[in-house]
Amino acid sequence: MLQDTTITLAIELLLLAAAVGAFVLLFSRYLRRADTQPLELLADDLLFANAPCAVVLSDAHDKIVDVNHAYERLTGRQRQDVIGMPIGYNHSGQMDEEAYADMREALRRTDRWDGEFWLRNAGGEAFSDKVSRIAVRDTAGDLCGFLTISLDMLGNEDERRLMLWQAHHDTLTKLPNRNLFFERLTRVLMKERQGAGGALISVDLDNFKIVNDSIGAAKGDQLLTQAAFRIALCARETDTVARLAGDHFMVLMEDCSDYAALEQVAREIVDQVSLPFVVDDRELFVTASVGISVYPEDGSDGGELMQKADAARLQAKRSGGNNIAFFESAMNARAERRLEIESELRKAVHDDQFELHFQPVIDLRDGSVSGAEALVRWRHPEKGLVSPGEFIPVAEETGIINELGAWVVRDARRKLVEHQDILRGLRISVNVSAAQLKTEQAISDLIAVLAEEGCDGLTVELTESALIADRDGVQTFLEQIRLLGCRTSLDDFGTGFSSLSYLRDFRFDVLKIDKSFIDRLANTQDYGLVASIISMGRILGMDVVAEGVEEDTQVQRLRQIGCDYVQGFYYSKPLPFAEFIAFLRQERLKRTA
Ligand code: C2E
Ligand code: CA
Ligand code: CA
């Protein structure tokens, strides 16, 4: 028999070459060489214990005989706790009886099955695991059991994280790299239908090449690291600062449609970079050229926006460097449009031009309507119905949002009271934006409105951006409105930091998974992610709502992973109030029929 260490080494090498199939082959070859009791021999083998991927040995009835260290790491469960359990003890119910039957049949016929198991780890999170299963037979050919090998090669979570991190970051400055930057940009632009607007700031150092040549690459790297740090300090915590190449950096500023603020950040970058750098006790001087493109005015495509930011940067460089430039005249167009909307908005508040539309939320367990999200619309005297994407950002910048927000709460509550015959038991949620929680005064005004109108049946939706602003202030706001009987909901989960600590600290009643995740449910990895978010939400006692559901296949998948509530065009668009009532009546009629 080969020495254990030799086999282990050979396997490690094979794995490094990503030869998963070869690993399976090696294991099975090894099986056939074993004589009397293959299962015990295998379990005692060092190779089994130390294999870098999770391996399970089960008997002919598929009861677990042994698992290895990688399995313990992957599932978070101890070996002694799982021995004797049926192999499917931690399966999360994704595989139906028919699929199990197919698997048994394949194993019976060919002694091998390749497929995917859906598992739950010790924390209850679901994840998928590609596996290869091999039937273990003794020399007489009788079945002794099964060997299940996880093809998830890096059973080690830390290694997997590291690899993921390296694929997305620049190792020198630790900033996101071009891949990650482009990914984020694309995601942000997808959401841009909501219209908050933003900008790309392209930065490069004017005379870096000359400096680098004179001081050498190692010191040049030190300078770059310091420059990266300064640029990152100029940006807000929520912005993405990336190093795209050499001395080329790019900043993505989301939700920033205020030109003055943009210009200030860009100038700050130029100023910071122009301060002396100290590398090995030597003072070095460089300057920066900065170009800015803004969306949606300059385009809605990531590549195009990056090109435009770069073009503006070149213009700044051509004018001598140490300077900033906006791409063409987008700035004027936007500023004019803003001013126009602002004055019209002020009038709209007085003339009562707003109305709420209601998008039903469906309880997947019985198909009933469990409530609705109230979404504001502006009935403009000339332009007709204007969507919030166009005016909420302006309302936020100008503070008009506070008045508008109060109106939304009043109107929603009034509808609940006036139509309680049909709306009883339903939950209506209203959106409260971060801008409404900016000052203590605004917070206490909003609480006063909620107290005055009553909170029965009302849920307040906040996004993560509201939580960052002023943790304590928001925490108090949430506590107070809960005391008034208001439910709280975390909106657009998955687009911000998706922070577990927020979920734990703020104790929301409802978690809304953002549409961008629902759109990618067909992707196995994202499917697993949504499944974990759902189970995490449940563990924390939250109702989980999937947003932006548009297709039947999405509904099926969400049902499979235990999502209870859904909302989206598949069921209904946001409806004017009268139509929402008609929708409710019809749904109830259907269900009683
Ligand atoms: P949100 O809170 O994430 O609201 C969901 C948005 O997604 C709504 O857009 C809704 O019409 C849209 N949506 C729902 N299902 C689907 C779907 O299946 N496919 C697609 N493509 N879209 C879907 P809407 O009404 O344009 O609202 C946009 C945003 O404006 C809201 O995003 C919210 O952040 C803000 N907003 C709306 N009403 C208010 C309000 O009264 N106050 C505040 N502060 N913000 C509001
Ligand atoms: Ca919402
Ligand atoms: Ca949302």
Side-chain angles (χ1 to χ4, degrees):
M1 195 187 283
L2 280 168
Q3 276 226 292
D4 293 323
T5 42
T6 324
I7 299 178
T8 312
L9 194 70
I11 287 169
E12 298 260 18
L13 286 173
L14 281 170
L15 277 173
L16 281 176
V20 172
F23 183 47
V24 174
L25 203 73
L26 237 166
F27 242 129
S28 53
R29 211 189 275 148
Y30 184 52
L31 288 179
R32 265 177 258 133
R33 290 150 59 108
D35 31 30
T36 44
Q37 289 167 308
L39 281 191
E40 280 81 336
L41 274 173
L42 258 170
D44 283 338
D45 200 289
L46 271 177
L47 159 63
F48 170 75
N50 297 313
C53 50
V55 187
V56 183
L57 270 175
S58 52
D59 65 18
H61 305 290
D62 242 349
K63 279 226 165 54
I64 297 179
V65 175
D66 209 347
V67 298
N68 68 351
H69 300 314
Y71 179 91
E72 292 181 309
R73 284 199 298 271
L74 184 71
T75 61
R77 288 192 171 86
Q78 299 289 305
R79 177 173 170 267
Q80 64 269 22
D81 295 337
V82 300
I83 288 180
M85 303 278 266
I87 186 123
Y89 80 94
N90 62 343
H91 290 190
S92 72
Q94 319 284 331
M95 215 167 131
D96 52 29
E97 211 18 70
E98 201 179 315
Y100 274 114
D102 286 350
M103 174 186 83
R104 281 193 291 268
E105 175 62 10
L107 279 167
R108 197 184 59 75
R109 274 190 299 113
T110 64
D111 279 359
R112 162 111 184 234
W113 177 80
D114 297 294
E116 198 174 7
F117 278 157
W118 275 88
L119 308 177
R120 278 190 199 285
N121 66 18
E125 285 172 34
F127 63 99
S128 77
D129 190 17
K130 283 209 172 58
V131 298
S132 231
R133 306 201 73 203
I134 304 163
V136 181
R137 297 183 188 280
D138 60 20
T139 35
D142 291 327
L143 184 73
C144 314
F146 302 95
L147 184 64
T148 305
I149 303 166
S150 160
L151 302 189
D152 188 357
M153 289 186 294
L154 288 167
N156 184 333
E157 186 65 18
D158 292 339
E159 283 174 52
R160 207 176 347 180
R161 267 203 209 119
L162 183 67
M163 269 179 57
L164 204 66
W165 189 90
Q166 281 170 344
H168 288 108
H169 292 82
D170 163 36
T171 41
L172 175 68
T173 60
K174 314 284 185 282
L175 290 176
N177 63 14
R178 181 182 282 274
N179 290 344
L180 180 56
F181 184 83
F182 197 72
E183 233 171 68
R184 289 217 182 131
L185 177 60
T186 310
R187 185 142 32 106
V188 165
L189 291 173
M190 259 164 50
K191 267 198 70 91
E192 187 39 33
R193 62 190 156 85
Q194 305 189 353
L200 293 191
I201 302 183
S202 170
V203 182
D204 90 351
L205 308 182
D206 294 322
N207 34 3
F208 180 70
K209 272 204 173 55
I210 302 170
V211 177
N212 196 40
D213 287 347
S214 70
I215 59 176
K219 288 183 189 153
D221 279 355
Q222 285 185 43
L223 193 156
L224 276 179
T225 312
Q226 292 183 31
F229 185 68
R230 290 186 193 177
I231 295 169
L233 276 185
C234 297
R236 302 167 302 180
E237 227 178 295
T238 47
D239 299 330
T240 302
V241 180
R243 180 177 174 223
L244 304 190
D247 60 335
H248 186 193
F249 300 87
M250 187 88 76
V251 185
L252 165 61
M253 295 193 61
E254 268 179 80
D255 296 344
C256 181
S257 41
D258 180 356
Y259 265 80
L262 262 179
E263 189 171 339
Q264 199 186 339
V265 173
R267 292 235 175 266
E268 176 115 12
I269 293 174
V270 169
D271 292 347
Q272 285 297 323
V273 172
S274 70
L275 298 173
F277 289 88
V278 179
V279 176
D280 284 351
D281 289 337
R282 208 174 132 187
E283 276 200 343
L284 299 167
F285 292 87
V286 289
T287 53
S289 290
V290 172
I292 305 159
S293 66
V294 295
Y295 56 83
E297 287 83 349
D298 292 333
S300 53
D301 170 79
E304 183 189 353
L305 284 167
M306 284 168 79
Q307 262 176 17
K308 289 188 170 166
D310 287 341
R313 174 175 50 81
L314 281 180
Q315 199 190 318
K317 187 160 289 211
R318 263 186 238 116
S319 69
N322 197 23
N323 206 351
I324 71 167
F326 277 88
F327 181 77
E328 279 176 355
S329 60
M331 180 159 91
N332 302 336
R334 183 188 279 191
E336 268 169 34
R337 173 112 185 89
R338 296 259 140 176
L339 270 177
E340 190 191 347
I341 296 183
E342 183 184 340
S343 68
E344 286 181 342
L345 259 183
R346 291 199 188 281
K347 196 162 144 18
V349 176
H350 283 117
D351 297 359
D352 213 11
Q353 291 173 6
F354 295 104
E355 59 187 69
L356 288 181
H357 283 199
F358 294 81
Q359 184 173 36
V361 176
I362 310 296
D363 185 334
L364 270 187
R365 290 165 296 190
D366 61 1
S368 65
V369 177
S370 69
E373 175 171 4
L375 294 151
V376 71
R377 302 286 181 263
W378 177 9
R379 194 163 290 280
H380 191 283
E382 287 121 45
K383 293 181 209 146
L385 218 52
V386 185
S387 66
E390 286 203 46
F391 63 86
I392 293 278
V394 185
E396 287 175 344
E397 263 169 44
T398 51
I400 297 175
I401 193 73
N402 293 323
E403 264 179 272
L404 179 57
W407 177 85
V408 169
V409 169
R410 289 214 169 88
D411 198 59
R413 268 294 298 164
R414 214 150 286 170
K415 296 237 154 50
L416 272 168
V417 173
E418 279 168 21
H419 300 266
Q420 42 175 303
D421 50 331
I422 181 146
L423 297 181
R424 197 189 308 278
L426 294 194
R427 293 180 162 137
I428 303 292
S429 64
V430 295
N431 291 280
V432 168
S433 75
Q436 290 170 258
L437 305 175
K438 250 189 191 159
T439 63
E440 266 177 45
Q441 184 62 50
I443 292 182
S444 67
D445 287 352
L446 184 56
I447 293 175
V449 174
L450 287 162
E452 196 183 305
E453 297 295 328
C455 288
D456 215 19
L458 211 62
T459 306
V460 159
E461 295 192 5
L462 295 184
T463 59
E464 274 175 301
S465 57
L467 310 184
I468 316 161
D470 166 14
R471 276 182 89 108
D472 292 343
V474 177
Q475 192 71 274
T476 327
F477 169 73
L478 289 173
E479 276 162 22
Q480 300 223 17
I481 66 172
R482 268 183 208 126
L483 285 177
L484 293 171
C486 190
R487 284 169 38 106
T488 56
S489 168
L490 183 59
D491 201 1
D492 297 351
F493 189 74
T495 58
F497 297 103
S498 313
S499 151
L500 269 178
S501 68
Y502 283 165
L503 286 188
R504 200 194 44 218
D505 298 349
F506 288 95
R507 294 258 153 229
F508 287 93
D509 301 296
V510 184
L511 182 65
K512 298 188 82 169
I513 306 179
D514 190 69
K515 177 174 191 306
S516 53
F517 277 112
I518 308 308
D519 287 344
R520 299 193 309 254
L521 268 179
N523 175 317
T524 318
Q525 236 175 357
D526 289 311
Y527 183 49
L529 202 61
V530 175
S532 350
I533 296 176
I534 291 170
S535 54
M536 189 177 67
R538 289 182 137 191
I539 290 167
L540 292 170
M542 289 184 275
D543 285 346
V544 182
V545 182
E547 283 195 294
V549 173
E550 293 180 344
E551 288 161 16
D552 187 47
T553 48
Q554 294 172 332
V555 178
Q556 302 314 329
R557 293 203 149 214
L558 287 164
R559 216 191 284 273
Q560 273 168 6
I561 46 184
C563 183
D564 289 339
Y565 300 96
V566 287
Q567 173 185 349
F569 293 175
Y570 179 71
Y571 293 97
S572 168
K573 298 203 165 186
L575 302 168
F577 186 66
E579 284 176 39
F580 172 60
I581 295 291
F583 180 91
L584 267 179
R585 290 223 159 89
Q586 207 175 11
E587 282 300 301
R588 286 183 187 164
L589 217 64
K590 250 195 255 166
R591 281 159 39 75
T592 46

